[in-house]
Amino acid sequence: MCGIVGAVSTRNIVPILVQGLQRLEYRGYDSCGVAVHEASLGGTGAGGLRRARSTARVAELMAQVEHERLQGATGIAHTRWATHGAPAVSNAHPHASYGPGAAPADLTQAGHVALVHNGIIENYETLRVRLQSRGYVFASQTDTEVIAHLIDSLYDGDLFAAVRAATQELRGAYAIAVIHKDEPHRVVGARAGSPLVLGVGQGEHFLASDAMALAGVTDQIVYLEEGDLVDLQLGRYWIADRAGRPLAPEQRPVRTVQAHSGAAELGPYRHYMQKEIFEQPRAIADTLDGIEAVVPELFDGAHTAAWRVFQDIDRVLILACGTSYYSGCTARYWLEEIAGIPTQVEVASEYRYRTSVPDARTLVVAISQSGETADTLAALRHAQSLGMMHTLTVCNVATSAMVRECELAYVTRAGVEIGVASTKAFTTQLAGLFLLTLALAQARGRLTSEQEAAHLTAMRHLPVALQAVLALEPQIIGWAEEFARKENALFLGRGLHYPIALEGALKLKEISYIHAEAYPAGELKHGPLALVTSSMPVVAVAPHDALLEKLKSNLQEVRARGGVLYVLADADTHIETSDGIHVIRMPEHYGQLSPILHVVPLQLLAYHTACARGTDVDKPRNLAKSVTVE
């Protein structure tokens, strides 16, 4: 969601800015733009701020800037996911301020101040009214334009001072990068609630919302912390805290980060989502690589030993959003059954706004693919503010804010996930959460050496088992052809597989735009059964577990009402294909790890249904990959 790239250099940085935006395209966006200081090339000659903006893809923006011969050694760029104001050029970033009075007719001229922003300014309406009373004219519907005008109103020859003063008045979340017409070799940035990194180069410096944007440009990265301001100039930079006090280099160290480019090769696949589904055996193998035993040290933080934390807690609170929330819901079954530890799972965006009962002996587990999910970070900080200081994250990005802010961490190795609909990040989260379950069971004296060995053997077999599941793709394509003609679907599961039904429904609605809901199968007769007709396909996850016979009764309830069933059944469930019942046999029953296998056919069903309907699989409408705003 919303990508930022900025640079101060002695060379034309427009290609670098646009390339950075291309690396962030996977996050999702509906407009993009770039602004440069033309006087920054070749000294202090004529030229001011110019910009180009588009509601097309970044490739079209590149063609536009080439046609307009936009060049500069100082500049900023942005991909926007719409919050305030519809996707339109007038609402696209960078936004500009021309000072009090009417804006010029040529809006490619970016006036006094040009700015890009990630986040949401909560008090923008109050600031807008005040700035309008001072003569500022607003050309967009966004909250971001308020920041540009506010900085202009505070500018008195020092851009850093103006940005710092402006941030004191902002309420909400922001990561910003700003340039000014009177300072051709300077970019100023600030962050609070949204990520921003500094890239250190040879005589040139960069800003980005994600280190990936700078892959191939620099691997020297400084992660800015909450409230930081940063001043980039030729050959130098400095960082200050919210109060403007300079920070020593050791307080914000430079790290070598090998960021992977988002422009990964598709190879034989049609879409990144398909590629990532088929990468799951390798992703699971990488996530489990080197694990010979279940030991607390697998979760150690930079300064905290996990065994101490595990001895000091007697319950678990899981905070997450979307797909990560469903991985947490699955983990609850494991944690309570295997580790015997009471577990609560909360939607992060709800948890922080309700009155809850804190318990200092709680392990707060935050789950996120990116480690920058705004709602989950805010919920984590809320839990800490309530005195729950034992925190752990399961995350796919080792350098993310969530890893830095939690006591403990388990970093999965899914690799870069470009498709907006998460697949391999979900299954690797499940693998990490199962390991956490085993570690907590061991700490509580509930895991024998024989049980540990059996669980680890089963986990090591997962990549092979996943390959066998992926071989079911041709059968799933047949189902997808039927689903593509539908507008509604129901998903059913019981026990450990109810969250997998939820995840399957989410995948279908995310990328095919078919309305889908999931229920515990036992809830059918308490309301959802009223929806069942011959035109409502019902997907059932049917492993051979203790609830199988109960599930079979629920399936008969569907058939009795004329519903058409699509069942993912283990080999020995004795559920057969017949009139109105379509069955795909899973290669093997996998016990407590079965959710990791059963979710894969649901991912493939969503993918091939979306392909049949002709939707934009990797960039579904209205959605973003990394959700960095509330």
Side-chain angles (χ1 to χ4, degrees):
M1 179 180 290
C2 294
I4 287 175
V5 191
V8 174
S9 181
T10 56
R11 55 176 167 157
N12 177 28
I13 45 77
V14 171
I16 292 173
L17 296 178
V18 176
Q19 186 180 61
L21 295 186
Q22 288 174 324
R23 291 195 174 108
L24 298 177
E25 280 190 289
Y26 76 99
R27 295 160 66 108
Y29 67 103
D30 43 48
S31 63
C32 51
V34 60
V36 297
H37 202 306
E38 290 191 309
S40 59
L41 268 180
T44 58
L49 304 183
R50 285 189 64 208
R51 63 179 170 173
R53 299 180 292 171
S54 174
T55 54
R57 292 299 185 196
V58 173
E60 282 78 8
L61 176 67
M62 187 63 189
Q64 183 179 334
V65 298
E66 288 175 348
H67 175 75
E68 296 175 7
R69 299 183 178 179
L70 198 67
Q71 295 188 19
T74 298
I76 52 178
H78 192 264
T79 50
R80 173 182 185 253
W81 185 80
T83 54
H84 296 70
V89 171
S90 61
N91 291 325
H93 298 218
H95 285 284
S97 179
Y98 303 87
D106 182 6
L107 293 180
T108 64
Q109 300 298 316
H112 301 164
V113 172
L115 173 143
V116 292
H117 163 229
N118 289 355
I120 291 176
I121 304 304
E122 294 173 357
N123 61 332
Y124 83 99
E125 291 174 319
T126 302
L127 293 171
R128 185 181 181 117
V129 170
R130 192 178 86 198
L131 290 162
Q132 284 175 323
S133 71
R134 297 181 184 178
Y136 283 92
V137 176
F138 284 79
S140 78
Q141 302 166 298
T142 68
D143 55 332
T144 299
E145 193 179 3
V146 165
I147 315 175
H149 290 316
L150 182 60
I151 291 171
D152 181 77
S153 72
L154 296 167
Y155 185 78
D156 191 23
D158 183 347
L159 182 58
F160 183 87
V163 171
R164 178 183 169 270
T167 58
Q168 302 301 304
E169 299 193 45
L170 300 179
R171 301 291 177 268
Y174 58 82
I176 58 174
V178 194
I179 56 179
H180 195 280
K181 72 176 183 64
D182 293 339
E183 301 185 59
H185 302 290
R186 194 178 201 185
V187 175
V188 175
R191 66 146 297 189
S194 289
L196 194 65
V197 303
L198 161 68
V200 180
Q202 297 294 320
E204 58 185 7
H205 301 305
F206 307 89
L207 282 179
S209 50
D210 189 320
M212 180 185 291
L214 305 179
V217 177
T218 180
D219 61 1
Q220 300 299 292
I221 302 296
V222 178
Y223 289 91
L224 302 176
E225 300 294 340
E226 194 75 358
D228 281 359
L229 298 105
V230 60
D231 190 343
L232 277 62
Q233 300 182 37
L234 279 178
R236 67 180 291 269
Y237 71 86
W238 64 286
I239 302 170
D241 63 15
R242 193 188 300 271
R245 293 183 294 263
L247 297 169
E250 60 270 18
Q251 292 177 274
R252 298 292 183 269
V254 178
R255 307 183 188 189
T256 300
V257 176
Q258 299 299 327
H260 299 283
S261 169
E265 292 294 328
L266 269 174
Y269 302 102
R270 290 176 63 187
H271 300 92
Y272 284 109
M273 183 179 177
Q274 185 187 30
K275 177 175 183 282
E276 287 153 10
I277 290 171
F278 277 83
E279 284 176 340
Q280 287 176 113
R282 179 202 55 76
I284 292 286
D286 288 349
T287 294
L288 302 176
D289 186 45
I291 296 174
E292 300 297 331
V294 176
V295 291
E297 287 76 15
L298 293 171
F299 301 90
D300 277 357
H303 306 292
T304 310
W307 68 268
R308 285 200 195 94
V309 175
F310 291 172
Q311 294 295 324
D312 197 38
I313 58 110
D314 51 27
R315 60 193 313 109
V316 172
L317 168 64
I318 296 175
L319 303 173
C321 301
T323 286
S324 295
Y325 172 74
Y326 297 144
S327 71
C329 291
T330 306
R332 178 185 178 182
Y333 287 90
W334 290 332
L335 287 161
E336 295 199 334
E337 179 180 348
I338 299 172
I341 187 165
T343 301
Q344 180 179 355
V345 188
E346 295 266 3
V347 174
S349 58
E350 289 295 311
Y351 171 73
R352 67 177 295 212
Y353 292 114
R354 73 175 185 84
T355 301
S356 58
V357 181
D359 182 347
R361 292 182 61 82
T362 297
L363 176 64
V364 180
V365 178
I367 310 172
S368 168
Q369 187 279 135
S370 67
E372 305 288 351
T373 308
D375 288 318
T376 308
L377 274 170
L380 170 67
R381 291 163 184 160
H382 176 65
Q384 291 169 324
S385 75
L386 296 176
M388 294 187 286
M389 304 309 295
H390 292 319
T391 58
L392 181 150
T393 184
V394 176
C395 175
N396 193 40
V397 182
T399 54
S400 65
M402 217 163 282
V403 172
R404 297 197 303 275
E405 293 188 24
C406 283
E407 260 191 318
L408 309 174
Y410 190 83
V411 178
T412 60
R413 298 175 187 170
V416 175
E417 190 177 66
I418 293 172
V420 166
S422 181
T423 52
K424 62 178 180 174
F426 177 73
T427 48
T428 52
Q429 283 173 357
L430 290 178
L433 289 163
F434 193 76
L435 281 174
L436 175 62
T437 299
L438 298 183
L440 287 171
Q442 185 185 72
R444 297 167 66 83
R446 293 175 59 96
L447 188 71
T448 67
S449 58
E450 292 79 12
Q451 289 170 329
E452 176 187 355
H455 284 309
L456 288 177
T457 297
M459 294 192 81
R460 293 189 189 106
H461 183 61
L462 276 172
V464 174
L466 284 167
Q467 290 287 9
V469 175
L470 289 167
L472 299 173
E473 186 180 33
Q475 298 176 59
I476 295 165
I477 292 172
W479 283 14
E481 290 169 354
E482 296 296 323
F483 273 71
R485 295 191 286 269
K486 308 297 183 180
E487 294 301 327
N488 301 280
L490 285 177
F491 286 69
L492 303 178
R494 295 205 72 149
L496 187 59
H497 294 80
Y498 167 48
I500 300 307
L502 287 165
E503 173 63 9
L506 176 62
K507 284 292 154 288
L508 189 68
K509 71 183 83 170
E510 276 182 307
I511 60 170
S512 74
Y513 315 146
I514 293 172
H515 171 247
E517 294 187 64
Y519 292 94
E523 282 293 292
L524 268 177
K525 53 188 169 291
H526 296 286
L529 201 56
L531 296 172
V532 172
T533 68
S534 59
S535 61
M536 169 79 82
V538 179
V539 180
V541 182
H544 193 177
D545 60 13
L547 290 170
L548 176 61
E549 295 307 317
K550 298 290 186 184
L551 178 65
K552 285 182 178 179
S553 297
N554 302 140
L555 301 187
Q556 289 303 317
E557 293 168 359
V558 172
R559 284 299 300 128
R561 276 77 181 177
V564 179
L565 286 163
Y566 295 80
V567 185
L568 294 169
D570 285 346
D572 49 358
T573 55
H574 304 295
I575 301 174
E576 305 297 335
T577 296
S578 61
D579 182 38
I581 303 179
H582 307 274
V583 179
I584 290 179
R585 299 254 172 240
M586 297 291 286
E588 57 183 307
H589 176 55
Y590 221 68
Q592 287 161 318
L593 288 169
S594 174
I596 297 176
L597 301 187
H598 270 90
V599 75
V600 174
L602 301 181
Q603 295 169 348
L604 287 168
L605 176 62
Y607 171 73
H608 285 291
T609 302
C611 288
R613 288 168 69 96
T615 63
D616 191 341
V617 171
D618 288 332
K619 301 183 180 71
R621 68 188 182 202
N622 305 332
L623 299 180
K625 182 64 177 173
S626 182
V627 183
T628 55
V629 297
E630 280 196 74

